[in-house]
Amino acid sequence: MPAPVLEVKNLGKRFGDIHAVDGVTLTVAAGELFGLLGPNGAGKTTLLSIISSLLEADRGEVRILGRVLRRQDRNLRRSIGIVPQELAVYGELSARENLLFFGELYGLRGRALEQRVDDLLAAVGLEDRGRQRAGTFSGGMKRRLNLAAGLVHGPDLVLLDEPTTGVDPQSRNRIFEEVRRLNAAGVTIVYTSHYMEEVQALCPRVGIIDHGRLIACDVLPELLKKLAGLVRFRAAALPEALLDSIARLDGGSLAQRPDGDWELTCGSPREALLQLVSWFSEHDVALTKLEIEEPNLERVFLHLTGRGLRD
């Protein structure tokens, strides 16, 4: 496994009686695209704020590129890029002026900065809007500029906090393209989102945080194994012997719902489906419904964190 770019060890942060971050330990390897999920108020933004040195922890430590992160260590902090959930661009400045401003804050100057700004405007699809005031941009355009602002200094580690909130499909797709391009170029990324399908599509490994604690962290296939799959079917009549065979299939369990559908809970729904089709054919069973529901990240997330609404 590549050397870690980010190491978080027993990190803790309290606000009064609330444990916003409570003993979080995790490692993100060089070149990894790591997903971080959690309900509202779970501690994601607090954790990212500590990792980016915007907030000090009460206990524990953060290491970036093997070095303990300290707020006074400006050289180490330059290796981090943060794209916050709240837009961090100036509406009265043009897109180009915004990026030049943030680049100069990191000590970039001259032709190197100009070229970097040109490259980023093209990467986020704003090359023809560089002279336009950011305040006139659509929500999606502002999000793309927000992303570029966090990348202008060429960081080794990028923290993306809900980067697609409220954007149109075209802007979301452009952000995805840039995230994948950055990661392919070797940039390590921590990606948080409320959109489960985004994280499932982008991130090979995912951590789930709730009530300040990291309650799950694994590669996606292993996380999905936490839930069984379902095969749902409906038929006019089913022989008792066939029902007994179905109930024993793949070590699963069979139950009938109030609406008349049968549900088989099993570990491999696709394999179970093939066997069921064969059995139904052998017994001349007329089906009116047959479908599978495989585990996905959203179901695992709700299983681990609950379905109650969070304020």
mmCIF file of all heavy atoms in Angstrom, residues 27-51:
data_model
loop_
_atom_site.group_PDB
_atom_site.id
_atom_site.type_symbol
_atom_site.label_atom_id
_atom_site.label_comp_id
_atom_site.label_asym_id
_atom_site.label_seq_id
_atom_site.Cartn_x
_atom_site.Cartn_y
_atom_site.Cartn_z
ATOM 1 N N THR A 27 -6.606 6.444 8.032
ATOM 2 C CA THR A 27 -5.449 6.687 7.181
ATOM 3 C C THR A 27 -5.901 6.738 5.733
ATOM 4 O O THR A 27 -6.724 5.922 5.311
ATOM 5 C CB THR A 27 -4.396 5.567 7.354
ATOM 6 O OG1 THR A 27 -3.958 5.542 8.710
ATOM 7 C CG2 THR A 27 -3.199 5.811 6.451
ATOM 8 N N VAL A 28 -5.394 7.712 4.989
ATOM 9 C CA VAL A 28 -5.674 7.826 3.554
ATOM 10 C C VAL A 28 -4.346 7.760 2.819
ATOM 11 O O VAL A 28 -3.448 8.567 3.065
ATOM 12 C CB VAL A 28 -6.424 9.129 3.220
ATOM 13 C CG1 VAL A 28 -6.703 9.211 1.721
ATOM 14 C CG2 VAL A 28 -7.741 9.208 4.001
ATOM 15 N N ALA A 29 -4.217 6.786 1.931
ATOM 16 C CA ALA A 29 -2.954 6.537 1.238
ATOM 17 C C ALA A 29 -2.733 7.533 0.110
ATOM 18 O O ALA A 29 -3.681 8.153 -0.397
ATOM 19 C CB ALA A 29 -2.933 5.119 0.686
ATOM 20 N N ALA A 30 -1.500 7.667 -0.306
ATOM 21 C CA ALA A 30 -1.157 8.528 -1.438
ATOM 22 C C ALA A 30 -1.905 8.068 -2.686
ATOM 23 O O ALA A 30 -1.938 6.883 -3.004
ATOM 24 C CB ALA A 30 0.347 8.500 -1.683
ATOM 25 N N GLY A 31 -2.514 9.016 -3.372
ATOM 26 C CA GLY A 31 -3.232 8.713 -4.600
ATOM 27 C C GLY A 31 -4.607 8.125 -4.401
ATOM 28 O O GLY A 31 -5.271 7.749 -5.379
ATOM 29 N N GLU A 32 -5.095 8.082 -3.171
ATOM 30 C CA GLU A 32 -6.409 7.481 -2.902
ATOM 31 C C GLU A 32 -7.520 8.512 -3.075
ATOM 32 O O GLU A 32 -7.338 9.705 -2.819
ATOM 33 C CB GLU A 32 -6.442 6.916 -1.473
ATOM 34 C CG GLU A 32 -7.699 6.120 -1.172
ATOM 35 C CD GLU A 32 -7.647 5.407 0.174
ATOM 36 O OE1 GLU A 32 -6.653 5.580 0.915
ATOM 37 O OE2 GLU A 32 -8.612 4.692 0.489
ATOM 38 N N LEU A 33 -8.682 8.033 -3.518
ATOM 39 C CA LEU A 33 -9.904 8.841 -3.562
ATOM 40 C C LEU A 33 -10.841 8.249 -2.522
ATOM 41 O O LEU A 33 -11.501 7.237 -2.742
ATOM 42 C CB LEU A 33 -10.519 8.802 -4.964
ATOM 43 C CG LEU A 33 -11.849 9.512 -5.222
ATOM 44 C CD1 LEU A 33 -11.890 10.895 -4.600
ATOM 45 C CD2 LEU A 33 -12.128 9.587 -6.712
ATOM 46 N N PHE A 34 -10.863 8.869 -1.349
ATOM 47 C CA PHE A 34 -11.528 8.326 -0.171
ATOM 48 C C PHE A 34 -12.834 9.063 0.074
ATOM 49 O O PHE A 34 -12.867 10.298 0.092
ATOM 50 C CB PHE A 34 -10.601 8.473 1.044
ATOM 51 C CG PHE A 34 -11.183 7.991 2.343
ATOM 52 C CD1 PHE A 34 -11.226 6.641 2.633
ATOM 53 C CD2 PHE A 34 -11.694 8.890 3.265
ATOM 54 C CE1 PHE A 34 -11.766 6.193 3.838
ATOM 55 C CE2 PHE A 34 -12.219 8.457 4.464
ATOM 56 C CZ PHE A 34 -12.258 7.099 4.757
ATOM 57 N N GLY A 35 -13.914 8.321 0.248
ATOM 58 C CA GLY A 35 -15.214 8.920 0.513
ATOM 59 C C GLY A 35 -15.523 8.969 1.992
ATOM 60 O O GLY A 35 -15.221 8.021 2.721
ATOM 61 N N LEU A 36 -16.111 10.073 2.437
ATOM 62 C CA LEU A 36 -16.497 10.234 3.834
ATOM 63 C C LEU A 36 -17.968 10.617 3.890
ATOM 64 O O LEU A 36 -18.371 11.641 3.339
ATOM 65 C CB LEU A 36 -15.644 11.308 4.509
ATOM 66 C CG LEU A 36 -15.869 11.519 6.008
ATOM 67 C CD1 LEU A 36 -15.487 10.269 6.796
ATOM 68 C CD2 LEU A 36 -15.078 12.722 6.504
ATOM 69 N N LEU A 37 -18.764 9.778 4.553
ATOM 70 C CA LEU A 37 -20.201 9.978 4.647
ATOM 71 C C LEU A 37 -20.625 10.151 6.094
ATOM 72 O O LEU A 37 -19.976 9.656 7.008
ATOM 73 C CB LEU A 37 -20.952 8.771 4.063
ATOM 74 C CG LEU A 37 -20.791 8.492 2.573
ATOM 75 C CD1 LEU A 37 -21.461 7.171 2.222
ATOM 76 C CD2 LEU A 37 -21.381 9.619 1.756
ATOM 77 N N GLY A 38 -21.744 10.824 6.272
ATOM 78 C CA GLY A 38 -22.321 10.953 7.603
ATOM 79 C C GLY A 38 -23.585 11.787 7.549
ATOM 80 O O GLY A 38 -23.723 12.654 6.676
ATOM 81 N N PRO A 39 -24.535 11.551 8.455
ATOM 82 C CA PRO A 39 -25.745 12.379 8.500
ATOM 83 C C PRO A 39 -25.404 13.815 8.877
ATOM 84 O O PRO A 39 -24.272 14.126 9.270
ATOM 85 C CB PRO A 39 -26.591 11.714 9.606
ATOM 86 C CG PRO A 39 -25.958 10.390 9.870
ATOM 87 C CD PRO A 39 -24.520 10.521 9.500
ATOM 88 N N ASN A 40 -26.390 14.708 8.765
ATOM 89 C CA ASN A 40 -26.193 16.087 9.227
ATOM 90 C C ASN A 40 -25.770 16.087 10.687
ATOM 91 O O ASN A 40 -26.354 15.387 11.522
ATOM 92 C CB ASN A 40 -27.493 16.886 9.078
ATOM 93 C CG ASN A 40 -27.810 17.188 7.633
ATOM 94 O OD1 ASN A 40 -26.924 17.246 6.796
ATOM 95 N ND2 ASN A 40 -29.086 17.385 7.340
ATOM 96 N N GLY A 41 -24.755 16.860 11.000
ATOM 97 C CA GLY A 41 -24.300 16.969 12.381
ATOM 98 C C GLY A 41 -23.471 15.803 12.860
ATOM 99 O O GLY A 41 -23.177 15.695 14.056
ATOM 100 N N ALA A 42 -23.037 14.941 11.935
ATOM 101 C CA ALA A 42 -22.282 13.755 12.336
ATOM 102 C C ALA A 42 -20.838 14.073 12.694
ATOM 103 O O ALA A 42 -20.176 13.289 13.370
ATOM 104 C CB ALA A 42 -22.316 12.710 11.226
ATOM 105 N N GLY A 43 -20.313 15.205 12.212
ATOM 106 C CA GLY A 43 -18.945 15.583 12.513
ATOM 107 C C GLY A 43 -18.041 15.678 11.305
ATOM 108 O O GLY A 43 -16.835 15.928 11.450
ATOM 109 N N LYS A 44 -18.587 15.509 10.092
ATOM 110 C CA LYS A 44 -17.757 15.519 8.879
ATOM 111 C C LYS A 44 -17.037 16.848 8.702
ATOM 112 O O LYS A 44 -15.816 16.890 8.502
ATOM 113 C CB LYS A 44 -18.612 15.249 7.631
ATOM 114 C CG LYS A 44 -19.377 13.957 7.619
ATOM 115 C CD LYS A 44 -20.042 13.718 6.282
ATOM 116 C CE LYS A 44 -20.996 14.828 5.841
ATOM 117 N NZ LYS A 44 -22.123 15.046 6.758
ATOM 118 N N THR A 45 -17.797 17.955 8.752
ATOM 119 C CA THR A 45 -17.194 19.265 8.500
ATOM 120 C C THR A 45 -16.208 19.634 9.602
ATOM 121 O O THR A 45 -15.153 20.220 9.331
ATOM 122 C CB THR A 45 -18.291 20.333 8.357
ATOM 123 O OG1 THR A 45 -19.114 20.013 7.230
ATOM 124 C CG2 THR A 45 -17.690 21.707 8.146
ATOM 125 N N THR A 46 -16.516 19.281 10.850
ATOM 126 C CA THR A 46 -15.572 19.534 11.945
ATOM 127 C C THR A 46 -14.284 18.759 11.711
ATOM 128 O O THR A 46 -13.177 19.294 11.882
ATOM 129 C CB THR A 46 -16.191 19.132 13.289
ATOM 130 O OG1 THR A 46 -17.384 19.887 13.513
ATOM 131 C CG2 THR A 46 -15.217 19.384 14.433
ATOM 132 N N LEU A 47 -14.403 17.513 11.299
ATOM 133 C CA LEU A 47 -13.219 16.704 11.025
ATOM 134 C C LEU A 47 -12.381 17.315 9.905
ATOM 135 O O LEU A 47 -11.153 17.446 10.033
ATOM 136 C CB LEU A 47 -13.649 15.279 10.645
ATOM 137 C CG LEU A 47 -12.528 14.298 10.280
ATOM 138 C CD1 LEU A 47 -11.555 14.129 11.437
ATOM 139 C CD2 LEU A 47 -13.118 12.954 9.868
ATOM 140 N N LEU A 48 -13.023 17.742 8.828
ATOM 141 C CA LEU A 48 -12.280 18.360 7.725
ATOM 142 C C LEU A 48 -11.648 19.680 8.157
ATOM 143 O O LEU A 48 -10.542 20.019 7.712
ATOM 144 C CB LEU A 48 -13.194 18.589 6.527
ATOM 145 C CG LEU A 48 -13.701 17.355 5.775
ATOM 146 C CD1 LEU A 48 -14.396 17.765 4.494
ATOM 147 C CD2 LEU A 48 -12.577 16.374 5.467
ATOM 148 N N SER A 49 -12.334 20.419 9.016
ATOM 149 C CA SER A 49 -11.783 21.690 9.494
ATOM 150 C C SER A 49 -10.513 21.473 10.313
ATOM 151 O O SER A 49 -9.563 22.259 10.242
ATOM 152 C CB SER A 49 -12.823 22.441 10.331
ATOM 153 O OG SER A 49 -13.936 22.798 9.549
ATOM 154 N N ILE A 50 -10.482 20.379 11.083
ATOM 155 C CA ILE A 50 -9.282 20.062 11.862
ATOM 156 C C ILE A 50 -8.158 19.605 10.936
ATOM 157 O O ILE A 50 -7.003 20.017 11.074
ATOM 158 C CB ILE A 50 -9.600 18.985 12.918
ATOM 159 C CG1 ILE A 50 -10.602 19.525 13.948
ATOM 160 C CG2 ILE A 50 -8.324 18.524 13.615
ATOM 161 C CD1 ILE A 50 -11.129 18.482 14.904
ATOM 162 N N ILE A 51 -8.500 18.751 9.969
ATOM 163 C CA ILE A 51 -7.484 18.236 9.037
ATOM 164 C C ILE A 51 -6.864 19.375 8.227
ATOM 165 O O ILE A 51 -5.668 19.349 7.910
ATOM 166 C CB ILE A 51 -8.107 17.177 8.101
ATOM 167 C CG1 ILE A 51 -8.487 15.931 8.910
ATOM 168 C CG2 ILE A 51 -7.150 16.810 6.969
ATOM 169 C CD1 ILE A 51 -9.295 14.918 8.112
#
